[in-house]
Structure formats: structure tokens, C-alpha cells
Amino acid sequence: MPARLSSMELSDPITPPASSSPNDTTRRKSGRIRHNPVLLNHDPNASIGSYNSGKRKRADTLDQAQVNGSMGEETSSNEEDGDPDDEEMKEKRRKTRYKKPSEKPAAKKPKTAKPKSTTLPVRPAVNGVQKPPKPRRPRTQVNAAISDEEAGLFAELFAQGHTVEGVAAEWITRYNEHNANAMCELINFVLKCTGCDLKVDMHDIEDPDNAASKLDDLHQEYVSKNITDYPLISRNKAYSSFRPTVTGFFFALISTAHAAGVLYTDLALIENIEVWVSTMSSAAIRPFRHTATVISLAMESGLCSVYSSLVDSTAKTVRQMEGEQKKKTVNKERIASLQKKIAEEERRSGSVNDMMENIFNAVYVHRYRDVDPRIRVDCVTALGGWITTAPDKYFTPAYLRYLGWVLSDTSAPTRAEVVKQLSKLYKRKEDVARLRAFTEKFSPRFVEMAIRDAEPNIRAAVIGMLDLIRDTGLLEPNDIDSIGRLIFDSEQKVRKAVAGFFAKNINDSYDAVIEDLGGEEGMAEDIGEEDPDDFDMPRRAWLKFKCLAENLQSYSSQEGDDEGTTPTLPETIGVLPGSVVESRFALAAQAVYGGVSEVQDWEVLAGYLLYDNSPATSNGNAFESPETLFRKSCLLNEFEEMLLLEVLKEAVKQRLLEAVETEIDKKGKKSKIRSEEVREIQESIALHLAQVIPRLLRKFGTNPTTAAVVLQLEHVLNLEIFEELRQDSTTYASLLDDINKQFLTHVDEGVLAEASNAILHARSYEDLEEVTEGKIQELWSDTISTLRLHVTSKKSEETTDLVGLCNTISRISHLASVADCIGVFESEDRSSFKMSNTASAISPAKILTELIQNEYADVDEEEKEQRDEIITGSIKSLLFYHMWIVRSLKNSLATHTPTLKLPDWDSFASALLSLVQSRSGTDPVRLAATGAYLDVHILFASLKAITNDANHQSTRQITTPPNKQSQHRSSADEVRSSLVRPITREAQSLILTIFVAAEKQHARRSRRKLEAASDDAIDSAPEDPESEIEDNEDEDEDTTSEQVRTHQLLAEKQLCELAGKMVLAVLGHVFDDEGQKVRQRLLRNKMRLGPNFKEVLAYLDEPKAKSKAKPKPKPKAPKAKVGDPVKAKAKSAKKAKSKEVVEVSSEEESDGEEEDDPLGAELADDRIEDVEEDDEEKRHEKDVDDDEIMGD
């Protein structure tokens, strides 16, 4: 039970006894005069500046006269007899000689009134314990943290110029004078830290047994004040340094009490603080509980520091005593003195240990699982610090288990903090043995967090900690493999964190292979000296590349991602090339580049891949040469070759990125020297790649998987540098020949896509356009000739090569996505070897249109899939063809070039519509045709913005002759009237029916509920029974969860694609939405079918939100007068942009039709004459902004 404090009881163990004789300061027996010591602040020879320097000053709590008296008495009792000798006189004269000239003394800072004391001031503890790192000196915010009427310990601690050590020493002095008053002041300070003005009085302090009931009363008062914020969590800048100041004060309080001896002579000090603070730490209100917990943890940290210093001092004293005992002549008095000192230190350390146990059991045991995650984080941080400060006490399984239990905390910051503290412990190599039992118990949880934790940052931190555990030898091989598989993780932070861990796996495999081959010395003799410039000769690095490939293959197969096991989403129609989706092998290769240093030498890796490493035959001999063993060790299989090709590609890309990053210094500026170095690196990489890529294609071009990866290397090749170096054009032409060969010989979609992207990359350089276009024309000639040949054989024979036709159309669609196909698709080849056959004279566009219309029945499943691919490929090719037409029309209108012939896209639209009508439900071909039908209408509707732009420009060209202006205006009007057409009512009803079917399919597969259907014809349309049967089969059959998830994503993808195109059609005014029935139908289930569907339909609401945000400046509407060009020209060109916006908004709101048509009602209204110039500019800007929603 804590000791009671009396208001009259004084405790001053550190005050020396006063002198009994008042005449001690007169003369000694020898007759010499006694001199009182001169204090530093009264020394005439001491400068004021040195006094104010603040170095090791005594506490300013005593009255100066009392300080002088006590210091004089203490000095006189210990001073030797005699007058000042010659050395003292010399020292005095030296000080006088070097005394600084008199100058105006610096203004002293005002001092606060301090109570008088009859005892010596207590110095802050500077040598009794290991001093903790000083917290950042808090900047006192007097206006917020301390009010003008504020007084007491809180005001003293946060006052300007005060340090926590000095305030703690002053409080210890006041405690020695009157412990009850000082304790009352301290408890009131704790209450003030909770953010309230509640206080306790002397009677409460003198009765510690009533502390719980008193705190209950304070709790009720605190709740009645409805305080929602308190300093510890406040974001007010005035409290930015509150936490370090308060915790530093209590830390210094413990240290100072230890140095003064009060911590051991007056045990009631800690007991009474513990009574109040521990009771507050269990309060129901969070400010009390949090503040008291932080203070208790700070006190425990101070006790840990004291305990650690006592243990170190005891160990040092024991060593001294043992050394003294080993001497020949033993000094018994010194040994007795050392034994006495050891006993005293052990007694003190025992007392401190009891205090630590009491605080830990009273506060930490309950608060480490507090409901507030902030308190749990503070507890974890404190325990990690205690283990580091006092390992003899806390670095035991009894305390480490608290950290292990918090690993399963629901709060991410708490888990992150415990991982941080454990990482610090595993870095202490000397204490690894203490962590063995803890690691064995909690290592499964470590691995689980690294693999499945919801926060990528925590997963990365745990991987780093597991890397430290692995260095200590405490990680099991199975756990090592589990972490190594994370090189294929989807999170970039996780892959980057595991790169170093994965590299150690490779090094272990490499060491094992080297040992099997005879060690490093034996390998050096077998391989010989390595030439750094000859990349085709065998090297020891090849073995590390082999180990890298083996590890990647092993971890990939363990993930269960072999061919055919992972369902993939089918390719969508209309996806433009150029957007490369990195495979997971490429993402893993990016992480490997940063972890394995040998990968950065990509030239060596390329030489390894190009090396003819066919296994050497032993010819029946039992003995194999070291060279044969080395070649067998370096032999790669096809999957390993693909993996190393991915690594090679990423290594080249990362090397180029590093070169570009080094071009800019830390200040963000480019230097000429670095730019030249970067240029040299780029040139060397380009030249080397130009030689390597054809060789790689010749070796790996037969396999579609490896060929696709090699073709991606061409995207990295900088053809601009290749051209500037004046290389032979035949080298570039041969490279394009190799790419064309891959395009014509492969049928794999991945190879065709990468070859198309390589051709697109080659076309981006204008100076090489002549060679590139020639190779592209050769591709067109070969593919179109093959198409005509397949169509001719199809009409002449009963059977046809559907596989060859499907592959040819796939090549045409990929080539049309990167090269202009207008001339090729519209040409009629009448010079063919079959002149009599009409198929050879039909243009490719008509051939593809006929293939869309060519329906089939009574065919097997395999033939049905092939015919569906032919139809979808033809749709995709014709859609790209019409995209090129619209692009050509836009260029003609922009450059005022007359259009020779307007395209006719009715046949394509009719073929699509008939295909949609012939299919049912959500058939993939039907959805593809519906999307293409909407795309072609939206595509030509985007010409409205261009025609308005052309008309607008023609009205502004004052210098253009009127006849040419009228000709150009008539051309733009002709384009609009001929090509921009709305969707028919019949087609709209059909599209809405398909939308409803896709909506129901997605809701059924994702198990969502739709809004109740109305009685209109759209919702009452019968569902496709085949689609229901397919859905039931998908659910009833033995399907994995991944397959079910894939079907759900596919249904959502189909619905969102169709809904997005319908939204664009509505905004482009090609989907007649009279009465906004279509909008209402689209938005009916907006909130029921997932966030992706919701975001797609959000474009229908965006224009309305903008119009509501704009004010209605109706009085400003008359400013825009029609038919007054003189005033329009006189307006200033520097008119504020905001005014223009207001005028436009007033026009929009003055016309009800424009408000209902958010995409721009001017596109449907051709009245452009008699309009003021400024009015026309605003109208044009609105048209362009609205039509940008559809794109090009």
C-alpha cells in the first residue's frame, strides 16, 4: 500500500548539515584569513556571455543568498589552510590580462518567480544514468498551449527557455521541501495533459486510498463538459511537440530522482504517482486512459534506463573487485569498499526492478490490447524500446510473447509497428539465441503475414524481417520457398522487397552447383580466363543464369500456373495495339534486375542465350570432361529460355531507364557531360540490339512464346540513334524482313500482336518511312493474295480451309490496326491469275462484308468456333478500315482538301444488323456485332465536331475569297448530311433487348438483384433459354472458384462494354432518346450491378452536375446581341476567361433544348449565319468540348 504523505513531513536526504559555528568564516588557527568562494555569476573576472552560455548551470530555484551561504559553508569545511599561493595569483593575473573589453551586457531573459528553498539545488542527472537522446526542443506556443492565467508545472514545462531536465530537477527540489504540495502539482499536471482544467487538492493527495473514487468524480465532470479533443491526438500546431515534451519530462523525472537518491530513500514518490496514473490508465474515457498510459510508459522507460545503468555499473564494479583480488598485494579496504558498493547497487537495482514490475502489471498488461489502436501502438513501441534498453530484464520469452500476440492485431498500424520493433531485435546478432524459441513459435505467423496480409507495406516489411531471420539460420527451408514464390506477386512493393531474398536463393543454388563442379578454383581452370569483351564465350555467370531460370520455373510451377490451368478472359474486339500488358514473368524479371547483380550485364545474358549449348556426347566413355559437365549444367529447356528472354528484355529496358535517370542531377538539371555519356550508352545498346535481335529470332522464332518475347525487344530499340549513326540500310531492312517473317509464319495471337507493335514502332520514325512502308506493302500484298485465294477455293469447292482463312483474317485485322488500309481494302485485283472468277475482282472490303453475312447451320462445334472467329475477325478488320476513313476525312476537312469520294458504310451496318438479328441472347458474336454497330455510328458522329470546326474556321477567314469559303462550307455540310446518321428505331429496340439480356446475365452470375421490371416491351422481352442453360451448367458442373470468378468477370465486362457504347451513342445524339426513356432504362440498375457499371453510367449525369454548379446570370444575357459584328470586333482580346464561361452558361440556360442536350445541341442545328463572332467562338468551344467525350 502506498505510503501516506503528511503536509508537515519534509524529506531532504541530499542536504548537507549546516556549519554549527558562525565564526568559521573569520580566521583559522594559523591566523590566515578565510575566503568565501566566489560564485560564477558574482565573479568580476567572468564574462556575462559565458554565464549565459547555459553549460552545466545549477538549478535556479534557490535564493542567491542561501546559495552563497551554503556553498561557503561547504567550501570552508573542505578547504585546506593557507593563503592563495603563487599559482593562484598567476591565474588571477592571467584572467585579468585576457579579460574582454567592457561591452554592453546582453539583455537577460526575464525569470519566473521561484520558491525559496533551504536546501541545495539538485542537478539534472547527467552522469548517474545513460542519458537518453534529447527530444527536439519544443517550440513553446504560449498563445495556444498556455493561457495568460496559466501557472504551475504545465506552464513551467512549456515556458520559453526551460528544459525538461531543469523542470524535473526543480520539481524534485520542491518535493524535498513539501512532498504533498509537489505531488498535488504533478497530478494536476497530468490532468491538465488530458485537455481539461480539473484539479485535485491536498486532501486528495494525502488520502491515496480514495484516488479511485476521486477520479470517478473527475470522470463525470469531464464527460459533462463534452470534450472531444485532447493534446495527445490534437492536430493543432501548438501541440506538435506536446508528446515528446511530456514523455521527456517524466523520463527526466525518474533520472533526476535516481541521481538525487530520492528514488531509493523515498519509495512513496513512485508509489503515489503509480496510484493515480495507473488508475487513470483504466478509465472509461479515452483522454484519461491514453494520456495516463503514455505517461506510465515514459516512466517505465526511465526506470529501464536506470536499471540498465545500475546493472552495467554493478558488472563493472564486480570486475574491478575481481581484478583487485587477483593482485599479489590485496587491498582489503578497497575490496570491502567495492563489496559495499556492489551491495548498494544490487539493492537499488532490486528496488527499480520492483517498480518496473508494478507499472508493467498495472498498465501494460491491460493496455496492450486496448480498444484504441493508438494506445496499442504506443505499448508496442515502448516494449520494443525496453527490450533494447534493458535486455537482461525484458529480452526474455515472457515479454517477447506480447509482441508475438500483437502480430494478429486487426489494426494495420499496430501490426506495422510490431514488425518494425521485431526487425530491430533481429538485427542484434549478439542476441539471436534469445529469439530462437520465439521464432519457432511465431514463424508460421510471419510467413502468413508476408503472403496474405491486406497491406502491401506490411507484407514488404515482414519480408525484410524474414530476410534477417534467414541470416540467423532460424528459417525453415519450406518457409524460404514460400517467400521465394512472392517474386510473382501482383504487388510491386512485395516483388521489390522479396528481390534480395530471392537473390539469396539463387546464390545458394549457385554455390551448390559450383561445389559439384569442383569449386571456384576448378571452374577457373576449366573455363580459363574470361574476356570481358567476348560475350559468346562460356562464363561462370552462365551458371547463375541457369540457377535463376530453375528457381523461376520451380516457383512458377508451384503457383499452379502451367499451361491450361489458369482461365483467361477472351480478347475483345476493337482493342487498339500499343497498350502492352506485362506478363507476370516480365514483372518478376523487373524485380530480379534489382536483386541479382549479374542480370545487369545484359550482354552476357544475351551471349548465354545465343550460345549453341547442345549436350556433348560422351561416346560411351564413363569419364566426362569438365567442359562437357559445364555445358550440361548450363543446358536450358524451352520454359527456362522463355524466362531468361523475359529477364533479358527487362534488363535492357531498366538499363536504358537508369541511363536516362543519371542524365539529371539532384537539382533536376541536365549537364552536358552526362548527356553525352547517356548518348553513348544508348548508342551502344542500339547497335548491340540491332545485331542480337535477328540472331535471337533465328534461334527462338519457331516457338510462339519465345518469338513474342524477342519481338518485344524491338520496341526497346531506338531507331533514331540507329539512323543517326548512318548505318547500312540493309541491316534495318533485314530486321524488318525478320519481323515480317514472324508475322506471316505464326498464327498465335501473341506473336501477331507483338509483330504489329514492332511495325507500329518502326513507322514512328519518319526518316525510315520509305523502307518501312515498302515492307508493309509486301505484307499487304501477301495477306490479301492469300485471302483471295481462300475465297476463290471456297466458291469453287465444297470444302474450304477454314483454319487458313481464319489465320489470314486475323493477320489482316492486326495489320489494319497499325497501317492505313483504305487503298488496299478498296482495290479490285483484276490482274489476278483467275480473271474469270469474280471473287478475284471483288475488293477486300466487300469480301469481308460477305463473310459477315455468310451464316451457317448444322455444323459441328469445332467448325462453329472457326466460323465465329472468321466473323469476329472480319468485323474487327472492317471497323479499323472505317476508322482510317474517318481519320482521312478529318485530315481533309482540317486542311481544306476537297474530298473526292465519300464512303458508303451502309453495307457494313446492314451486315452487322442482320448478324445481330440472326443470333440470340448474349452470344459473343452477337455482342461483338452490336458493339461494332454502335461504334461505327459513334465514329461518324464524331465528324460533327470537325464539320462545325471547318464551318467556324471558314467564317473567320477574312482573306479567303467568298467563292472558296462557300465551296468549303458546302463540302463540310455534305459530309455531315451524308455520313452522320442516327440509329433506326428498330435497331434501338434490338440493342436495348440485348442490353437487358446482358444485365440479367451479369446479375445472375454475380448473384445480385435487379430492380423490379416495368411493363414496357423492353423488359418484357423473353430471355434466351440457352443462356440460362449455360449458366446453370456453369454452376452445377465441377468448376473451380477461379473459373466461376472468371465467368463473373466476363459477364461484367460484356455488360460494361455494351453500356459504355450505348452511353456514347446517347451523348453523340445517334441514339434517339426522346423523352429520355433510354437514359432512365440505363440508369435503373446503376447502383445494383457493381462500381464498374456505376462509373460507366456516371457520364450520363456529369453534364447535369456541371450545369447545376454554374450560376444563372440572367441579367448578363442581353450582352450578346445578334447581328452586330462592329461591337464584336471592338471587344478586348484580354477578356477574363471566367466572364466567357458565365456568358456561355447563360446562353445554355436560356434555351431549354440546349440544357436537355448536354453534348451540344448546336451539332443538330445548322443555323450559323448572322451570329456574332464572340458568340460563334463560344458555341464552337462548347461543341468541341462535348464531342471530345466520344473521341476519335
Side-chain angles (χ1 to χ4, degrees), residues 659 662 672-683:
T662 56
K672 187 176 180 180
I673 299 176
R674 290 185 178 181
S675 299
E676 293 177 355
E677 293 177 354
V678 170
R679 192 67 176 178
E680 292 177 0
I681 295 174
Q682 293 175 343
E683 290 176 359

Side-chain angles (χ1 to χ4, degrees), residues 893 899 902 943-944 946-952 954-955 965-980 1162-1163 1165-1169:
L893 293 174
T899 306
L902 294 179
L943 290 172
K944 289 190 290 186
I946 303 299
T947 54
N948 283 344
D949 186 20
N951 293 331
H952 175 70
S954 63
T955 57
Q965 292 184 21
S966 60
Q967 290 176 3
H968 184 67
R969 183 179 303 178
S970 62
S971 175
D973 294 339
E974 184 181 359
V975 169
R976 173 189 291 185
S977 60
S978 301
L979 300 179
V980 181
E1162 293 87 352
L1163 299 181
D1165 191 0
D1166 294 334
R1167 295 173 296 176
I1168 60 174
E1169 60 273 9

Side-chain angles (χ1 to χ4, degrees), residues 787-806:
L787 174 65
R788 293 184 187 276
L789 183 61
H790 283 296
V791 173
T792 303
S793 61
K794 180 181 179 182
K795 292 189 176 182
S796 61
E797 303 174 5
E798 293 183 359
T799 59
T800 183
D801 185 11
L802 294 179
V803 177
L805 180 59
C806 179

Side-chain angles (χ1 to χ4, degrees), residues 5 114 139 198 235 304 388 638 643 668 711 794 818 828 919 980 1057 1079 1173:
L5 293 176
K114 300 177 176 59
R139 294 184 178 181
L198 304 177
R235 295 186 177 181
C304 285
T388 305
E638 290 185 358
L643 291 173
L711 287 173
K794 180 181 179 182
V818 297
E828 297 180 357
R919 300 295 179 104
V980 181
E1057 283 184 348
R1079 286 175 183 261
E1173 183 178 356

Side-chain angles (χ1 to χ4, degrees), residues 978-1044:
S978 301
L979 300 179
V980 181
R981 305 168 194 169
I983 300 176
T984 61
R985 293 286 184 180
E986 180 184 1
Q988 290 183 23
S989 301
L990 185 60
I991 293 171
L992 286 173
T993 304
I994 298 172
F995 171 75
V996 173
E999 202 176 43
K1000 292 180 179 179
Q1001 175 184 262
H1002 173 46
R1004 188 165 49 246
R1005 290 186 175 179
S1006 60
R1007 294 177 174 82
R1008 301 174 186 267
K1009 292 184 179 180
L1010 298 176
E1011 189 174 341
S1014 59
D1015 297 334
D1016 54 8
I1018 298 175
D1019 292 318
S1020 60
E1023 297 184 21
D1024 182 27
E1026 295 182 0
S1027 63
E1028 293 186 2
I1029 294 174
E1030 291 177 359
D1031 292 337
N1032 293 331
E1033 289 179 354
D1034 293 339
E1035 295 178 0
D1036 295 339
E1037 292 179 358
D1038 296 334
T1039 56
T1040 62
S1041 59
E1042 292 183 358
Q1043 291 175 342
V1044 173

